[in-house]
Amino acid sequence: MEENKLDNSINLLKRILIYESPILFTGAGFSLGGRRCDNEIIYSGKELKEEIIVNLLKYEKGSSEYEELKGASLTDVSEMCKSFSPNRLEDYLTEVFSNCFPAPFHEIICKYKWKKIYTTNIDDLIENTIPPAKIIVQNLNRPKTSNFTNKIEYIKLHGCVKNPSMGYVFSGKDYVDSMLNSRDYRFNSFGQDIQYEHFIFIGTDYNEVNLDYYLKLYENSYSQTTKGQLFFINPNKSIIFNNKIKRIGGHVLPWTTEQFSEFLNDNILKQNIDVKPISIYGFYNYNDGVEKLKKYSNYRSNLYLGNFPTWLDIYHNWDFRSNTIEKDFNTYYNHLLSKNIKHSMYCIVGKSMSGKSVYLKRLGSLLYQEGFQILEFRGKTFDYMSIIMLCKDRHIDKLCLIVDNASYYYGALRSLLRSFPANQQLIILTASRPYFHNRKKYNIITEDYFEYNIVNEIDEDFATEIEKKLYDKGYLGTLKNFNTDERIRKIKSSNDVASVLFNITYGKGFYARFKSDLNSRFNNLEVGKDLLVYISIFQALDLSYFPLEIVTLIFNDITKDALNEIDDFIKYNENNGVSIRNAFLSKLVLQQVRHNKLLELIKEILIHISPQVTENLHTYWNEIEATLMKEKLLRKRLGLKTSSIKNMLFEIQSYYNDNYNYWIQVGISEQMDNEFEKALNHFQQAEALNPNSYMVKNAIARNFLKQANSCKIIGSAKPYFEEGERRMLELIKEREEFQVKAYSTHCYLYEKINYFENFNIVPNDDDLKKMYDLLETIIEKTPEDGMSKHISNKFFNFLKKINKTYILNIKFYDLSVLKLMFEKYDIDTDIFEDFEIDG
């Protein structure tokens, strides 16, 4: 039986090495066989301990002190040595573990395309084995944000001889400190990866107390998908060790490091098996999954219960097909073919639970039938270069990329559209919620881009499709009581599909009944209350899901209990995330929570994600950070006070001190309190951190304009306005990208009109014509865009107020422009003052 288990483990390991990208974890035993700079074999733990006792602590062999310490652990001996002379120990370790070089079996292991490599070793053996162009060494508590494409991230948990200033983890105190330091990027990343990724451990028996803590994270993690497999390459037949690994479902392979390298070489590397590229991690390949979908012939969906859509729902036709959107998409696709447009983007815009995620998958399946390779983004870091490399290497002629909740990635998607090979076709299908889409869309409107807005109403054709599908699938619910015509009529009377499904399941009076009952249910939650609030905050702020990795880091050993307690209220998605089951639930939950409690929880999230926030990559962690720091959003959506938000931001300063976006948000919150001098100081801190950032320069220029408009008398206002105007016009002049020109133009015209109105200034015709010339740069390119409509209306209303609409005659023939100005257009000014441009 044991032999069968071992064979099964070996076969599983081989499959993962071929078809997936596991993570390598190396401990002290991994480096054995390598050599130091003096060509001597790298010390084992036992040998290192003896060296410390004799050469650093100066106890002679055979002495009573030597014999006592020889029986102690390396951890205890190191701690004793540090208590006498911490610098001496660190200097010694740096000397003996620098400039190490590998044995042949190390070189074999390093040839494999690992997803990542973690190590507790401080030596530089792996750095000296993998070429520098193919590795990023993470030896700081903040991540290095270089380009990760085709590079292995090598994360050194216990220190690095290349950066001794960070210290080494050897003593008991060091272990405990590192265990508690989840704010360190290295440990935070490991704490997340160990929950869901495949790991191969070499050279460790997992006796270190901090690593034992992270192993418990694996036990406590909760996933709707399969957890990663853990393999331990360990030739020592320890009953305690084997029992520990067996308890968590891991696999122990009784091999040495050299034996594993032989297995890897013979079964993978020599066979030239094409393993999946490491850099494409985070994308689901629909084409590869179709055969698996076919096997579920009796599939019963949970889509109608409010769950996230899956490809099984689409393949087995559980979705409601919308003739309107499919007809619009066919028109779009035929346009691409007729114009021979190779790179384009089709964006579905709709509110939460409007069905946009379902439509994305359906349109993707239609393009699959047209011969497209379908990739769906499911990761938390969007690396557009990995897609380009994949298509070049695999000669993919027609690619469809699906990105749900895509607005945060618009800048990266623009870069992908511009950089994609000219002779290969790329269609990007995206879905976004209106608030974030409207703030971010200026990143993409210069590209070949089409937008479909979901209208929350159900026409006759769609109602008929819904009724037929519910009948065929046996999910009519309360509609079963009516004939076909009455069903269709009732479906048409609903606001949207979500309301239809909710009402047929629970009945129209359920909302009122649930609301009256929620108080007692919510207050009786024992361990899941805060988690339900976390998830409700994300829903209220239009963040697509709450990452399960963070759930485990926050709730530790009660993670499963917390999730199970609120299971009736939540749903899971394919990104290892969890969200609220019905939109109205988040409103009801948040009504039960005090504002200071909301701020406390927001602060907790921001602290936990801080190690993952990077400024040069497009990641979901960055999106969470940007959203949870946004003063206007927290004030408008959660009812929080500006002063409280500002205080919360200062409380997390130590976690974001080197993050320029943090200082921008601090400055904006100060602007709201008319603290313009403080805001300028913090914008300048942001500029020092990122001197080339367009957003920082724009924020500084606009701060002067806003300060001018806060003044009571023109004499005080004029110097501020002139400085802001000078800076803003320079930005508009020097920037080539349309999207940033347009953003600055909007900011400038908006504040200039306010300035004229505040001080009753009637500008001369030449000034107005110059303003109109700037305005045209926006409205000629995107006349139907919300920003264009907003500033056009504001400008026209100002002209009417001062009786100077005649200046528009200079371009009177441009009826589309005039239509924008004359048209009545209501808009939320707070939102359209708050666009976001990458840069």
Side-chain angles (χ1 to χ4, degrees), residues 62-178:
S63 67
S64 59
E65 292 90 349
Y66 172 86
E67 294 299 329
E68 179 182 345
L69 291 175
K70 187 178 177 181
S73 68
L74 173 61
T75 297
D76 290 338
V77 172
S78 298
E79 190 161 352
M80 179 178 174
C81 187
K82 283 187 74 173
S83 68
F84 293 147
S85 180
N87 292 337
R88 190 177 179 194
L89 175 62
E90 290 187 0
D91 291 343
Y92 175 76
L93 294 173
T94 301
E95 180 183 352
V96 298
F97 287 116
S98 291
N99 301 312
C100 297
F101 52 96
F105 61 84
H106 292 128
E107 294 176 346
I108 291 171
I109 293 172
C110 289
K111 285 180 181 177
Y112 180 80
K113 292 182 180 179
W114 301 102
K115 180 179 293 181
K116 290 181 184 178
I117 302 176
Y118 285 96
T119 188
T120 55
N121 298 336
I122 67 171
D123 63 57
D124 55 5
L125 184 144
I126 285 182
E127 295 99 306
N128 295 332
T129 308
I130 300 176
K134 295 184 177 181
I135 190 172
I136 293 178
V137 181
Q138 302 286 12
N139 54 18
L140 301 171
N141 56 12
R142 303 295 297 178
K144 298 174 184 176
T145 56
S146 305
N147 181 8
F148 282 26
T149 304
N150 279 350
K151 294 182 179 180
I152 296 174
E153 191 177 13
Y154 181 37
I155 301 177
K156 309 199 74 169
L157 296 172
H158 287 179
C160 176
V161 293
K162 301 287 189 184
N163 185 32
S165 62
M166 289 296 296
Y168 302 131
V169 175
F170 273 98
S171 70
K173 180 181 183 300
D174 293 334
Y175 280 125
V176 173
D177 288 346
S178 65

Side-chain angles (χ1 to χ4, degrees), residues 40 82 103 107 159 214 265 271 279 327 368 386 431 479 489 505 520 538 545 651 696 727 738 741 744 764 829:
E40 295 294 323
K82 283 187 74 173
E107 294 176 346
Y214 288 102
N265 198 37
Q271 304 299 322
S279 56
K327 187 182 295 183
Y368 170 76
S386 65
L479 289 175
R489 189 162 55 250
T505 303
S520 59
F538 271 48
Y545 62 91
E651 288 172 5
V696 175
R727 288 171 176 263
F738 168 77
K741 273 183 178 288
S744 290
N764 60 46
T829 302

Side-chain angles (χ1 to χ4, degrees), residues 661-676:
N661 179 65
Y662 166 78
W663 290 112
I664 289 177
Q665 299 309 321
V666 169
I668 290 173
S669 69
E670 289 166 331
Q671 277 183 347
M672 294 304 300
D673 275 348
N674 290 331
E675 296 177 330
F676 297 102

Side-chain angles (χ1 to χ4, degrees), residues 610-730:
S610 61
Q612 300 300 326
V613 174
T614 58
E615 294 177 346
N616 299 329
L617 297 173
H618 292 85
T619 73
Y620 187 52
W621 307 115
N622 289 14
E623 181 179 4
I624 294 171
E625 177 238 9
T627 301
L628 294 184
M629 288 184 183
K630 186 80 58 185
E631 184 274 338
K632 285 181 182 176
L633 204 56
L634 298 180
R635 172 168 46 85
K636 291 174 69 68
R637 298 286 182 88
L638 299 179
L640 303 178
K641 293 181 179 179
T642 299
S643 58
S644 300
I645 297 168
K646 187 168 57 175
N647 290 337
M648 183 270 292
L649 289 174
F650 280 117
E651 288 172 5
I652 61 172
Q653 178 182 335
S654 62
Y655 300 98
Y656 290 94
N657 205 31
D658 295 328
N659 181 278
Y660 82 94
N661 179 65
Y662 166 78
W663 290 112
I664 289 177
Q665 299 309 321
V666 169
I668 290 173
S669 69
E670 289 166 331
Q671 277 183 347
M672 294 304 300
D673 275 348
N674 290 331
E675 296 177 330
F676 297 102
E677 287 84 1
K678 291 181 179 179
L680 177 61
N681 180 285
H682 292 132
F683 289 147
Q684 288 171 336
Q685 286 192 53
E687 186 177 32
L689 292 168
N690 194 342
N692 296 320
S693 168
Y694 160 76
M695 289 303 296
V696 175
K697 293 178 185 297
N698 191 84
I700 292 173
R702 196 172 189 190
N703 190 68
F704 282 111
L705 297 175
K706 282 183 168 293
Q707 187 167 7
N709 281 319
S710 72
C711 294
K712 301 298 184 184
I713 57 176
I714 185 80
S716 301
K718 191 175 180 181
Y720 295 120
F721 185 82
E722 288 177 346
E723 178 64 15
E725 183 175 44
R726 180 187 66 79
R727 288 171 176 263
M728 197 68 84
L729 289 175
E730 281 181 5

Side-chain angles (χ1 to χ4, degrees), residues 193-212:
D193 286 339
I194 191 65
Q195 297 178 45
Y196 304 111
E197 301 296 337
H198 301 306
F199 270 81
I200 296 174
F201 295 90
I202 304 178
T204 177
D205 58 5
Y206 243 93
N207 282 334
E208 296 98 331
V209 61
N210 60 348
L211 297 182
D212 206 42

Side-chain angles (χ1 to χ4, degrees), residues 238-251:
S238 163
I239 297 175
I240 294 175
F241 176 76
N242 288 344
N243 182 65
K244 181 189 294 187
I245 303 310
K246 181 180 178 181
R247 189 182 73 244
I248 64 169
H251 308 265

